[in-house]
Amino acid sequence: IILARGFDASLQNEINILYQMKGSKMENKKYKIIYNQSLAGFLMMRRFVLINMRPDNQGSGRNVFFFVDSPELQKAINEYKA
């Protein structure tokens, strides 16, 4: 699994364990980190699968949301921002 910038080693372990538990073979995927809860909800309502959610490591008190990056995901993000 290839991780985008901003991922730490513990998160990589979590994602690897998650995929092992699901029996997924999603190797060489890139992930998009979403810091906006409303955007994450918008994406889930558009049927994008939330891969993981965890507290922000920056101590903001917010959660960060992880989705598999794709052109379709980028298009939905652009629609949200429009």
XYZ file of all heavy atoms in Angstrom:
671
model
N 0.854 -1.175 0.000
C 0.000 0.000 0.000
C 0.896 1.233 0.000
O 1.811 1.319 0.796
C -0.922 0.007 1.232
C -1.872 -1.186 1.158
C -1.696 1.292 1.324
C -2.703 -1.366 2.394
N 0.608 2.179 -0.887
C 1.369 3.421 -0.956
C 0.564 4.503 -0.248
O -0.611 4.695 -0.541
C 1.621 3.827 -2.417
C 2.459 2.753 -3.116
C 2.290 5.189 -2.485
C 2.609 2.966 -4.592
N 1.209 5.204 0.655
C 0.523 6.230 1.417
C 0.915 7.613 0.934
O 2.043 7.855 0.550
C 0.869 6.091 2.907
C 0.516 4.741 3.524
C 0.965 4.708 4.965
C -0.965 4.489 3.430
N -0.045 8.527 0.945
C 0.215 9.909 0.565
C 0.971 10.612 1.676
O 1.110 10.093 2.784
C -1.110 10.621 0.281
N 1.442 11.827 1.381
C 2.135 12.614 2.401
C 1.255 12.800 3.623
O 0.056 12.878 3.530
C 2.485 13.991 1.844
C 3.548 13.967 0.809
C 3.828 15.344 0.311
N 2.650 15.776 -0.453
C 2.308 17.030 -0.651
N 3.012 18.000 -0.157
N 1.244 17.337 -1.355
N 1.882 12.895 4.799
C 1.146 13.165 6.022
C 0.790 11.916 6.808
O 0.260 12.011 7.902
N 1.062 10.744 6.279
C 0.777 9.515 6.998
C 1.963 9.157 7.881
O 3.112 9.325 7.497
C 0.544 8.346 6.033
C -0.797 8.370 5.376
C -0.980 8.980 4.161
C -1.886 7.786 5.986
C -2.203 8.995 3.543
C -3.123 7.790 5.374
C -3.277 8.398 4.157
N 1.683 8.659 9.049
C 2.769 8.194 9.903
C 2.806 6.663 9.903
O 1.919 6.008 9.369
C 2.649 8.758 11.324
C 1.353 8.380 12.023
O 0.752 7.349 11.665
O 0.959 9.108 12.932
N 3.831 6.094 10.495
C 4.020 4.642 10.467
C 2.882 3.908 11.165
O 2.452 2.846 10.718
C 5.354 4.278 11.107
N 2.360 4.469 12.257
C 1.277 3.783 12.966
C 0.025 3.711 12.102
O -0.704 2.723 12.124
C 0.967 4.465 14.301
O 0.471 5.770 14.092
N -0.223 4.743 11.308
C -1.384 4.719 10.417
C -1.184 3.681 9.325
O -2.117 2.967 8.968
C -1.627 6.088 9.803
C -2.794 6.125 8.826
C -4.090 5.694 9.501
C -2.942 7.497 8.251
N 0.027 3.581 8.800
C 0.277 2.572 7.780
C -0.020 1.193 8.351
O -0.641 0.372 7.690
C 1.719 2.636 7.277
C 1.985 1.564 6.237
C 3.287 1.744 5.511
O 3.926 2.762 5.643
N 3.650 0.763 4.733
N 0.394 0.927 9.587
C 0.101 -0.354 10.214
C -1.401 -0.570 10.354
O -1.900 -1.661 10.108
C 0.782 -0.456 11.573
C 2.281 -0.574 11.451
O 2.788 -1.015 10.427
N 2.995 -0.176 12.480
N -2.136 0.477 10.762
C -3.586 0.368 10.896
C -4.236 0.011 9.563
O -5.108 -0.853 9.499
C -4.187 1.681 11.394
C -3.944 1.956 12.849
C -4.581 3.268 13.274
O -5.666 3.605 12.751
O -3.990 3.942 14.122
N -3.819 0.686 8.503
C -4.408 0.418 7.187
C -4.068 -0.987 6.724
O -4.921 -1.706 6.208
C -3.965 1.478 6.163
C -4.621 2.820 6.512
C -4.315 1.066 4.741
C -4.153 3.982 5.674
N -2.828 -1.415 6.922
C -2.448 -2.770 6.534
C -3.278 -3.806 7.289
O -3.755 -4.781 6.708
C -0.961 -3.011 6.776
C -0.093 -2.272 5.785
O -0.551 -1.903 4.713
N 1.152 -2.041 6.137
N -3.478 -3.597 8.580
C -4.287 -4.518 9.383
C -5.726 -4.507 8.904
O -6.364 -5.550 8.772
C -4.187 -4.165 10.883
C -2.785 -4.496 11.397
C -5.259 -4.896 11.690
C -2.474 -3.940 12.771
N -6.261 -3.316 8.620
C -7.632 -3.195 8.139
C -7.832 -4.014 6.874
O -8.801 -4.759 6.748
C -7.955 -1.721 7.882
C -9.338 -1.388 7.352
C -10.398 -1.707 8.390
C -9.410 0.070 6.948
N -6.910 -3.907 5.920
C -7.057 -4.650 4.674
C -6.854 -6.144 4.878
O -7.505 -6.947 4.231
C -6.113 -4.108 3.604
C -6.660 -2.854 2.999
C -6.005 -1.656 3.112
C -7.873 -2.878 2.338
C -6.529 -0.502 2.575
C -8.413 -1.722 1.798
C -7.730 -0.549 1.916
O -8.256 0.582 1.385
N -5.976 -6.516 5.771
C -5.802 -7.941 6.052
C -7.086 -8.513 6.641
O -7.510 -9.609 6.292
C -4.636 -8.158 7.005
C -3.292 -7.927 6.363
C -2.154 -7.950 7.360
O -2.367 -8.185 8.545
N -0.952 -7.685 6.893
N -7.718 -7.756 7.533
C -8.956 -8.215 8.154
C -10.070 -8.341 7.119
O -10.884 -9.253 7.175
C -9.389 -7.242 9.258
C -8.515 -7.303 10.484
S -8.848 -6.017 11.701
C -10.608 -6.043 11.836
N -10.117 -7.444 6.156
C -11.154 -7.480 5.129
C -10.797 -8.432 3.995
O -11.611 -8.681 3.124
C -11.384 -6.076 4.562
C -12.037 -5.147 5.547
C -12.331 -3.825 4.883
C -13.080 -2.928 5.830
N -13.417 -1.653 5.210
N -9.560 -8.915 3.984
C -9.137 -9.797 2.908
C -8.982 -9.069 1.585
O -9.050 -9.661 0.527
N -8.760 -7.752 1.633
C -8.655 -6.961 0.422
C -7.257 -7.063 -0.168
O -6.285 -7.234 0.531
C -8.973 -5.499 0.741
O -8.787 -4.712 -0.382
N -7.184 -6.920 -1.478
C -5.899 -6.906 -2.171
C -5.691 -5.546 -2.810
O -5.271 -5.437 -3.949
C -5.854 -8.005 -3.219
C -5.908 -9.389 -2.613
C -5.797 -10.445 -3.675
C -5.831 -11.810 -3.024
N -5.721 -12.881 -3.997
N -5.993 -4.492 -2.085
C -5.907 -3.136 -2.624
C -4.487 -2.588 -2.466
O -4.271 -1.592 -1.809
C -6.925 -2.230 -1.950
C -8.346 -2.613 -2.247
S -9.528 -1.495 -1.517
C -9.199 -0.008 -2.421
N -3.535 -3.245 -3.086
C -2.159 -2.790 -3.004
C -1.938 -1.636 -3.982
O -2.646 -1.488 -4.962
C -1.219 -3.944 -3.326
C -1.314 -5.065 -2.308
C -0.408 -6.223 -2.648
O 0.415 -6.087 -3.568
O -0.536 -7.246 -1.987
N -0.932 -0.835 -3.690
C -0.536 0.291 -4.537
C -1.647 1.320 -4.734
O -1.758 1.924 -5.786
C -0.025 -0.202 -5.896
C 1.199 -1.061 -5.743
O 2.048 -0.787 -4.900
N 1.296 -2.104 -6.532
N -2.478 1.498 -3.735
C -3.516 2.523 -3.775
C -3.007 3.766 -3.062
O -2.251 3.682 -2.106
C -4.801 2.043 -3.084
C -5.477 0.893 -3.756
C -6.157 1.352 -5.019
C -6.889 0.205 -5.673
N -7.502 0.568 -6.911
N -3.454 4.923 -3.520
C -3.144 6.172 -2.835
C -4.386 6.612 -2.091
O -5.507 6.347 -2.536
C -2.711 7.239 -3.841
C -1.359 6.928 -4.455
C -0.877 8.067 -5.298
C 0.488 7.708 -5.879
N 1.051 8.803 -6.666
N -4.172 7.279 -0.992
C -5.281 7.692 -0.147
C -5.353 9.202 -0.065
O -4.340 9.885 -0.100
C -5.125 7.074 1.241
C -5.205 5.585 1.167
C -4.056 4.830 0.980
C -6.419 4.944 1.214
C -4.125 3.468 0.844
C -6.495 3.580 1.085
C -5.355 2.841 0.893
O -5.431 1.493 0.748
N -6.550 9.701 0.019
C -6.798 11.130 0.159
C -7.193 11.384 1.602
O -8.082 10.733 2.133
C -7.923 11.549 -0.791
C -8.253 13.002 -0.754
C -7.197 13.791 -1.469
C -7.615 15.251 -1.576
N -6.558 16.067 -2.129
N -6.511 12.334 2.229
C -6.829 12.717 3.601
C -7.794 13.890 3.541
O -7.522 14.888 2.884
C -5.574 13.127 4.380
C -4.539 12.009 4.358
C -5.938 13.508 5.811
C -3.203 12.423 4.928
N -8.905 13.769 4.228
C -9.919 14.822 4.288
C -9.963 15.337 5.717
O -10.125 14.564 6.668
C -11.305 14.284 3.864
C -11.261 13.668 2.460
C -12.369 15.370 3.977
C -10.905 14.623 1.353
N -9.834 16.652 5.875
C -9.835 17.267 7.198
C -11.176 17.918 7.536
O -11.364 18.393 8.647
C -8.732 18.330 7.279
C -7.343 17.736 7.166
C -6.710 17.655 5.930
C -6.678 17.249 8.278
C -5.436 17.106 5.819
C -5.416 16.706 8.176
C -4.805 16.636 6.939
O -3.555 16.090 6.825
N -12.094 17.944 6.596
C -13.375 18.609 6.761
C -14.472 17.557 6.940
O -14.739 16.768 6.025
C -13.630 19.478 5.519
C -14.921 20.241 5.573
O -15.958 19.694 5.896
N -14.842 21.511 5.210
N -15.133 17.558 8.100
C -16.148 16.549 8.385
C -17.329 16.646 7.420
O -17.885 15.632 7.008
C -16.629 16.684 9.830
C -17.613 15.604 10.226
C -17.939 15.633 11.704
O -17.254 16.270 12.487
N -18.985 14.932 12.081
N -17.710 17.864 7.064
C -18.825 18.038 6.123
C -18.488 17.446 4.756
O -19.329 16.790 4.134
C -19.167 19.518 5.968
O -19.627 20.037 7.181
N -17.268 17.668 4.298
C -16.837 17.092 3.023
C -16.817 15.572 3.113
O -17.262 14.886 2.183
C -15.465 17.634 2.620
C -14.823 17.006 1.378
C -15.733 17.074 0.161
C -13.480 17.674 1.098
N -16.320 15.037 4.214
C -16.295 13.581 4.380
C -17.723 13.019 4.307
O -17.968 11.998 3.655
C -15.636 13.204 5.700
N -18.666 13.684 4.960
C -20.064 13.251 4.902
C -20.618 13.327 3.490
O -21.335 12.421 3.040
N -20.292 14.402 2.783
C -20.711 14.567 1.397
C -20.196 13.401 0.548
O -20.947 12.823 -0.254
C -20.182 15.902 0.872
C -20.443 16.159 -0.579
C -21.651 16.694 -0.995
C -19.468 15.894 -1.530
C -21.881 16.949 -2.343
C -19.696 16.143 -2.877
C -20.914 16.668 -3.281
N -18.933 13.043 0.735
C -18.352 11.940 -0.040
C -19.023 10.608 0.290
O -19.305 9.806 -0.611
C -16.844 11.865 0.206
C -16.039 13.064 -0.295
C -14.590 12.957 0.163
C -16.134 13.195 -1.808
N -19.293 10.383 1.563
C -19.952 9.126 1.942
C -21.376 9.072 1.384
O -21.840 8.000 0.983
C -19.924 8.946 3.453
C -18.533 8.610 3.967
S -18.475 8.298 5.740
C -18.420 9.978 6.360
N -22.056 10.217 1.353
C -23.394 10.250 0.762
C -23.334 9.964 -0.746
O -24.307 9.499 -1.326
C -24.062 11.606 1.003
C -24.407 11.861 2.459
S -25.658 10.738 3.093
C -27.071 11.273 2.160
N -22.194 10.218 -1.355
C -21.981 9.922 -2.773
C -21.431 8.505 -2.956
O -20.941 8.150 -4.013
C -21.004 10.929 -3.387
C -21.498 12.353 -3.426
C -22.226 12.599 -4.729
N -22.510 13.976 -5.045
C -23.453 14.725 -4.478
N -24.149 14.248 -3.477
N -23.684 15.954 -4.879
N -21.466 7.720 -1.892
C -21.103 6.292 -1.901
C -19.597 6.023 -1.986
O -19.179 4.924 -2.361
C -21.867 5.538 -2.982
C -23.388 5.699 -2.827
C -24.186 4.872 -3.763
N -24.004 3.454 -3.613
C -24.664 2.656 -2.757
N -25.532 3.170 -1.945
N -24.446 1.370 -2.747
N -18.769 6.991 -1.625
C -17.342 6.728 -1.485
C -17.132 6.080 -0.125
O -17.733 6.493 0.872
C -16.520 8.022 -1.601
C -16.527 8.587 -2.993
C -17.414 9.586 -3.351
C -15.653 8.093 -3.946
C -17.439 10.104 -4.639
C -15.664 8.599 -5.249
C -16.563 9.606 -5.590
N -16.288 5.075 -0.079
C -16.095 4.300 1.142
C -15.057 4.971 2.031
O -13.932 5.244 1.597
C -15.660 2.855 0.806
C -15.380 2.061 2.065
C -16.723 2.176 -0.044
N -15.434 5.206 3.267
C -14.512 5.724 4.272
C -13.590 4.580 4.673
O -14.044 3.541 5.157
C -15.288 6.240 5.486
C -14.458 6.747 6.651
C -13.702 8.017 6.270
C -15.357 7.003 7.852
N -12.289 4.752 4.461
C -11.320 3.703 4.774
C -10.959 3.709 6.247
O -10.872 2.673 6.886
C -10.039 3.857 3.916
C -10.383 3.759 2.437
C -8.986 2.838 4.305
C -11.004 2.443 2.023
N -10.767 4.919 6.792
C -10.378 5.033 8.197
C -10.686 6.447 8.667
O -10.796 7.370 7.872
C -8.884 4.731 8.362
C -8.506 4.406 9.795
O -9.345 4.429 10.691
N -7.244 4.096 10.017
N -10.824 6.571 9.956
C -11.019 7.868 10.594
C -10.239 7.830 11.892
O -10.226 6.817 12.582
C -12.506 8.089 10.888
C -12.791 9.397 11.596
S -14.532 9.562 12.012
C -14.596 8.592 13.506
N -9.563 8.931 12.211
C -8.798 8.986 13.455
C -8.629 10.423 13.885
O -8.792 11.342 13.083
C -7.460 8.291 13.293
C -6.561 8.944 12.260
C -5.311 8.197 12.035
N -4.443 8.364 13.173
C -3.319 7.723 13.362
N -2.912 6.886 12.454
N -2.581 7.928 14.406
N -8.270 10.646 15.144
C -8.022 12.019 15.594
C -6.831 12.619 14.847
O -5.884 11.911 14.500
C -7.699 11.862 17.083
C -8.276 10.545 17.469
C -8.199 9.683 16.240
N -6.885 13.911 14.616
C -5.802 14.626 13.955
C -4.570 14.610 14.853
O -4.648 14.919 16.039
C -6.242 16.060 13.680
C -5.235 16.853 12.876
O -4.204 16.287 12.460
O -5.485 18.056 12.661
N -3.422 14.250 14.289
C -2.170 14.200 15.057
C -1.683 15.582 15.468
O -0.798 15.703 16.294
C -1.067 13.518 14.232
C -1.296 12.045 14.081
O -2.044 11.434 14.839
N -0.669 11.443 13.092
N -2.252 16.640 14.878
C -1.811 17.996 15.166
C -2.432 18.547 16.447
O -2.159 19.683 16.827
C -2.156 18.922 13.989
C -1.618 18.451 12.659
C -0.109 18.359 12.635
O 0.579 19.222 13.167
N 0.415 17.309 12.031
N -3.276 17.767 17.107
C -3.875 18.204 18.360
C -4.989 19.220 18.186
O -5.305 19.963 19.118
N -5.626 19.234 17.022
C -6.686 20.203 16.754
C -8.008 19.812 17.401
O -8.929 20.617 17.448
C -6.890 20.346 15.241
O -7.426 19.150 14.708
N -8.105 18.579 17.864
C -9.366 18.091 18.413
C -10.327 17.618 17.337
O -11.444 17.220 17.631
N -9.899 17.662 16.094
C -10.729 17.235 14.971
C -10.345 15.831 14.535
O -9.292 15.322 14.899
C -10.553 18.179 13.792
C -11.010 19.566 14.066
C -10.743 20.437 12.878
N -11.733 21.482 12.792
C -11.895 22.259 11.753
N -11.129 22.105 10.700
N -12.816 23.176 11.751
N -11.191 15.245 13.716
C -10.894 13.955 13.112
C -10.411 14.158 11.685
O -10.725 15.164 11.045
C -12.145 13.066 13.103
C -12.537 12.644 14.483
O -11.702 12.317 15.316
N -13.832 12.658 14.761
N -9.650 13.189 11.199
C -9.271 13.166 9.789
C -9.872 11.901 9.188
O -10.038 10.889 9.861
C -7.737 13.222 9.581
C -7.193 14.570 9.976
C -7.026 12.122 10.338
N -10.200 11.993 7.905
C -10.921 10.932 7.218
C -10.104 10.491 6.016
O -9.525 11.319 5.319
C -12.290 11.450 6.761
C -13.085 12.048 7.888
C -12.942 13.389 8.222
C -13.962 11.268 8.617
C -13.665 13.946 9.268
C -14.695 11.814 9.663
C -14.546 13.149 9.992
N -10.080 9.191 5.746
C -9.245 8.627 4.692
C -10.109 7.914 3.664
O -10.926 7.062 4.014
C -8.229 7.637 5.284
C -7.350 8.272 6.316
C -7.716 8.307 7.646
C -6.153 8.853 5.944
C -6.906 8.910 8.601
C -5.341 9.461 6.890
C -5.720 9.487 8.212
N -9.904 8.279 2.401
C -10.606 7.679 1.273
C -9.578 7.239 0.250
O -8.506 7.822 0.160
C -11.538 8.701 0.615
C -12.682 9.151 1.490
C -12.529 10.207 2.373
C -13.912 8.514 1.415
C -13.566 10.630 3.177
C -14.966 8.933 2.220
C -14.796 9.980 3.099
N -9.920 6.221 -0.556
C -9.050 5.835 -1.666
C -9.143 6.946 -2.709
O -10.234 7.343 -3.109
C -9.483 4.482 -2.273
C -8.661 4.171 -3.523
C -9.325 3.365 -1.248
N -7.995 7.474 -3.106
C -7.959 8.564 -4.077
C -8.265 8.027 -5.474
O -7.809 6.941 -5.841
C -6.582 9.236 -4.056
C -6.605 10.627 -4.664
O -7.702 11.123 -4.990
O -5.529 11.224 -4.798
N -9.055 8.776 -6.213
C -9.406 8.409 -7.585
C -9.854 9.670 -8.316
O -10.187 10.674 -7.677
C -10.543 7.381 -7.590
O -11.742 7.983 -7.132
N -9.900 9.618 -9.639
C -10.422 10.772 -10.383
C -11.874 11.090 -9.996
O -12.264 12.250 -9.924
C -10.316 10.338 -11.846
C -9.225 9.315 -11.851
C -9.342 8.602 -10.532
N -12.663 10.057 -9.727
C -14.054 10.261 -9.329
C -14.137 10.985 -7.982
O -14.988 11.863 -7.792
C -14.802 8.924 -9.252
C -14.952 8.224 -10.583
C -13.723 7.433 -10.990
O -12.795 7.231 -10.165
O -13.680 7.024 -12.169
N -13.248 10.622 -7.054
C -13.218 11.283 -5.751
C -12.837 12.753 -5.931
O -13.473 13.637 -5.347
C -12.234 10.592 -4.807
C -12.166 11.200 -3.406
C -13.371 10.771 -2.577
C -10.884 10.791 -2.703
N -11.838 13.018 -6.745
C -11.418 14.397 -6.995
C -12.553 15.211 -7.613
O -12.764 16.374 -7.252
C -10.185 14.428 -7.906
C -8.937 13.860 -7.277
C -8.484 14.641 -6.050
O -8.663 15.850 -5.957
N -7.911 13.951 -5.093
N -13.305 14.592 -8.522
C -14.435 15.278 -9.145
C -15.499 15.624 -8.092
O -16.036 16.741 -8.083
C -15.041 14.400 -10.245
C -16.182 15.048 -10.973
C -16.707 14.158 -12.087
C -17.906 14.808 -12.749
N -18.510 13.945 -13.749
N -15.792 14.685 -7.199
C -16.781 14.937 -6.141
C -16.309 16.038 -5.203
O -17.109 16.879 -4.779
C -17.063 13.644 -5.379
N -15.021 16.077 -4.875
C -14.470 17.126 -4.017
C -14.627 18.481 -4.710
O -15.026 19.468 -4.073
C -13.005 16.826 -3.661
C -12.912 15.618 -2.722
C -12.335 18.058 -3.020
C -11.510 15.103 -2.504
N -14.344 18.530 -5.997
C -14.509 19.772 -6.744
C -15.965 20.218 -6.785
O -16.250 21.410 -6.691
C -13.941 19.624 -8.159
C -12.435 19.485 -8.166
O -11.754 19.902 -7.223
N -11.909 18.902 -9.207
N -16.883 19.277 -6.905
C -18.321 19.602 -6.883
C -18.695 20.199 -5.529
O -19.462 21.155 -5.466
C -19.162 18.359 -7.151
C -19.119 17.885 -8.578
C -19.853 16.564 -8.786
O -20.629 16.144 -7.880
O -19.650 15.938 -9.833
N -18.169 19.625 -4.459
C -18.458 20.112 -3.122
C -17.965 21.554 -2.945
O -18.645 22.376 -2.360
C -17.803 19.197 -2.080
C -17.962 19.678 -0.654
C -19.121 19.411 0.053
C -16.955 20.406 -0.035
C -19.286 19.859 1.365
C -17.106 20.853 1.266
C -18.262 20.566 1.965
O -18.401 21.019 3.251
N -16.789 21.832 -3.482
C -16.183 23.149 -3.328
C -16.825 24.205 -4.214
O -16.653 25.406 -3.960
C -14.678 23.082 -3.617
C -13.918 22.306 -2.573
C -12.444 22.270 -2.898
C -11.661 21.526 -1.814
N -10.228 21.494 -2.124
N -17.552 23.779 -5.243
C -18.158 24.732 -6.190
C -19.359 25.468 -5.592
O -19.972 25.111 -4.685
C -18.577 24.012 -7.457
